[in-house]
Amino acid sequence: MGKTVTIKGLRETVLVNFNVSRAKVKLAIEELQEDYQGRGVELVAVAGGYRFQTVEALSPYLQCMWQEKAPKYSRATLETLAVIAYRQPVTRGDIEFVRGVAVSSHTIKTLSDRHWIRAVGHKEVPGRPALYGTTAEFLAYFGLDTLADLPPLSDPESLAALFSNAESSNVPVSEDETVNIEHLADETEPTETQNREESTNE
């Protein structure tokens, strides 16, 4: 997927030699968004910036152009990502409490290597465990502009739809690996983390 471009990024690069206000750039972007409506390519707001992308309806016809298969992720990996996304910042212990099972180092490494999560600090308790939060890459991959766009936890089908981009593997999963949605939902609404502010500051 193409990287997003922020208004700040535009003003500091291609528009650096022009005296164009942020408001004018935003207005031009909105006009472009309107102009591209109904086309095969659209200009969308994602992860605090903007990018051109093909409309979802064309996906089945364009997939054959990419030979690489989409990576597959285990159920445990996607559940860990969901806990981090909705309760961030969280420690590994917090994730284990919600899921009811231990979180492997491989799962955290997989999400970190994918640049979907990162350590945003340390909890001030004995051992100072790392606190994890999502990244701008997470928002961009799942087509979210902000964490507020995450589907409500009261709708399990919404969670399934959110992670449809990351195909789950066929590895058997035991019953005790089922995510505890009740514990997850107890934490009210998702909150913006420091990494969100750093990546989208315009």
Side-chain angles (χ1 to χ4, degrees), residues 3-193:
K3 292 185 177 180
T4 60
V5 178
T6 64
I7 293 178
K8 179 182 179 182
L10 288 172
R11 296 183 67 203
E12 293 179 349
T13 54
V14 295
L15 299 176
V16 69
N17 294 322
F18 300 89
N19 185 22
V20 183
S21 67
R22 185 183 185 283
K24 287 185 177 180
V25 176
K26 190 172 186 344
L27 178 61
I29 290 174
E30 290 173 349
E31 291 176 350
L32 276 173
Q33 287 179 309
E34 185 176 348
D35 186 51
Y36 272 85
Q37 285 184 359
R39 301 191 188 187
V41 175
E42 58 186 354
L43 179 58
V44 298
V46 177
Y50 300 88
R51 75 178 177 207
F52 283 102
Q53 63 184 39
T54 54
V55 295
E56 187 176 354
L58 294 179
S59 179
Y61 307 101
L62 298 176
Q63 285 180 352
C64 59
M65 297 177 63
W66 285 270
Q67 299 301 318
E68 294 183 8
K69 291 184 178 180
K72 293 186 177 182
Y73 300 95
S74 69
R75 180 174 176 178
T77 298
L78 294 181
E79 288 178 354
T80 299
L81 178 60
V83 176
I84 295 173
Y86 280 90
R87 291 187 57 176
Q88 61 185 293
V90 292
T91 65
R92 221 163 125 174
D94 296 329
I95 301 168
E96 291 173 347
F97 171 76
V98 172
R99 295 192 62 242
V101 293
V103 176
S104 72
S105 298
H106 176 71
T107 297
I108 297 296
K109 185 178 186 302
T110 296
L111 294 173
S112 297
D113 290 347
R114 196 67 175 81
H115 303 297
W116 285 347
I117 67 168
R118 73 181 182 93
V120 296
H122 292 83
K123 192 170 184 177
E124 295 303 324
V125 296
R128 301 187 75 245
L131 288 164
Y132 295 99
T134 53
T135 64
E137 285 86 348
F138 164 80
L139 294 173
Y141 187 88
F142 290 102
L144 305 172
D145 190 24
T146 70
L147 292 174
D149 295 327
L150 285 167
L153 287 172
S154 59
D155 183 2
E157 289 75 17
S158 297
L159 286 175
L162 173 66
F163 293 116
S164 62
N165 284 334
E167 298 178 354
S168 298
S169 68
N170 294 323
V171 177
V173 179
S174 61
E175 291 183 1
D176 62 357
E177 280 193 313
T178 303
V179 66
N180 189 331
I181 294 296
E182 291 183 358
H183 282 165
L184 192 55
D186 286 341
E187 290 295 321
T188 66
E189 296 297 320
T191 57
E192 302 286 346
T193 58

